[in-house]
Amino acid sequence: DTAVSQTPKYLVTQMGNDKSIKCEQNLGHDTMYWYKQDSKKFLKIMFSYNNKELIINETVPNRFSPKSPDKAHLNLHINSLELGDSAVYFCASSQDAGGGTEAFFGQGTRLTVV
Amino acid sequence: AQKITQTQPGMFVQEKEAVTLDCTYDTSDPSYGLFWYKQPSSGEMIFLIYQGSYDQQNATEGRYSLNFQKARKSANLVISASQLGDSAMYFCAMREGTGNTNAGKSTFGDGTTLTVKP
């Protein structure tokens, strides 16, 4: 029973393509996140959603479009992929958006753009 | 601006010894949470320990404890009796706000790579 699951685990694609990463949590959490971890292992928040509503957008290019059909799902669609998009993308969720509870992470999606 | 600083890019510790990983933070929000995560070479992010800004006691979870010094804005992770399996990257993180009405940003430090020597 995976708490936060994201698919696919690996994604290799050519520049210019459009791709999606799916994320689902079965914890009943209100808040979900997308993080990007680059080749130097730096982790940066991209988006935060609370009860399907976008609450944080950290100056991510508009080629990245998150979608939350319900509070258990937060998908990430990326248009016109660029070499610099290559990274590991983590989905996470927490009970709420405040600082009172930990976030649980999915296993990550390693995106490679060639 | 919210910021997390981990000043030790790499640390070495002998098996069975204790090690402290440093973390300092900066925020103007009185309500925040501090978190430590472990990322082994397999890549998953594993939650270790949490400290709330209003908590009076230092958090402990098994061999992990958090040395919370609020006035100094530091939240160091102490791992006691290190094991070979502790070798990993460790991230300090902070999230501001209370509940859903005051949602805050989530920030991670740059990480510390810990190597446990046999």
Side-chain angles (χ1 to χ4, degrees), chain A residues 13-65:
Chain A
T13 188
Q14 290 188 322
M15 277 175 53
N17 283 352
D18 303 338
K19 289 293 177 186
S20 292
I21 307 171
K22 294 186 176 182
C23 180
E24 176 182 4
Q25 54 96 1
N26 62 7
L27 298 166
H29 286 170
D30 286 343
T31 309
M32 295 186 73
Y33 312 85
W34 278 108
Y35 289 88
K36 179 180 179 180
Q37 186 172 40
D38 64 21
S39 57
K40 295 183 178 178
K41 300 287 191 180
F42 298 147
L43 260 168
K44 285 208 163 179
I45 183 79
M46 298 174 69
F47 302 103
S48 297
Y49 268 72
N50 189 61
N51 282 316
K52 305 189 300 175
E53 300 295 323
L54 177 68
I55 54 172
I56 300 284
N57 179 343
E58 279 297 298
T59 60
V60 177
N62 57 15
R63 297 183 296 105
F64 290 79
S65 52

Side-chain angles (χ1 to χ4, degrees), chain A residues 80-110:
Chain A
S80 304
L81 277 154
E82 301 176 357
L83 293 177
D85 298 332
S86 295
V88 179
Y89 292 84
F90 283 99
C91 176
S93 73
S94 61
Q95 185 70 50
D96 58 47
T101 58
E102 66 271 26
F104 293 89
F105 281 74
Q107 78 273 33
T109 295
R110 183 174 293 278

Side-chain angles (χ1 to χ4, degrees), chain B residues 1-22:
Chain B
Q2 186 192 44
K3 189 176 176 183
I4 295 278
T5 302
Q6 293 181 252
T7 56
Q8 307 151 315
M11 287 282 286
F12 291 89
V13 65
Q14 207 67 36
E15 194 178 7
K16 298 181 186 176
E17 291 185 351
V19 63
T20 298
L21 307 184
D22 294 342

Side-chain angles (χ1 to χ4, degrees), chain B:
Chain B
Q2 186 192 44
K3 189 176 176 183
I4 295 278
T5 302
Q6 293 181 252
T7 56
Q8 307 151 315
M11 287 282 286
F12 291 89
V13 65
Q14 207 67 36
E15 194 178 7
K16 298 181 186 176
E17 291 185 351
V19 63
T20 298
L21 307 184
D22 294 342
C23 173
T24 57
Y25 62 92
D26 187 28
T27 179
S28 55
D29 195 319
S31 180
Y32 53 89
L34 296 157
F35 309 86
W36 278 92
Y37 289 86
K38 172 184 178 182
Q39 187 175 40
S41 57
S42 51
E44 69 267 34
M45 293 289 290
I46 303 167
F47 165 73
L48 296 178
I49 196 166
Y50 160 80
Q51 182 84 43
S53 58
Y54 296 115
D55 292 345
Q56 298 294 313
Q57 305 278 348
N58 286 344
T60 60
E61 288 286 348
R63 293 187 299 111
Y64 304 108
S65 60
L66 201 152
N67 184 359
F68 181 45
Q69 298 190 44
K70 194 170 182 177
R72 295 185 179 183
K73 293 190 174 178
S74 75
N76 299 339
L77 177 70
V78 180
I79 305 175
S80 62
S82 296
Q83 301 172 356
L84 295 177
D86 293 335
S87 292
M89 193 145 188
Y90 289 80
F91 290 96
C92 180
M94 176 170 66
R95 195 161 74 246
E96 297 170 318
T98 307
N100 289 329
T101 58
N102 181 23
K105 292 185 181 179
S106 179
T107 306
F108 278 72
D110 290 345
T112 295
T113 300
L114 176 68
T115 304
V116 180
K117 294 180 173 180

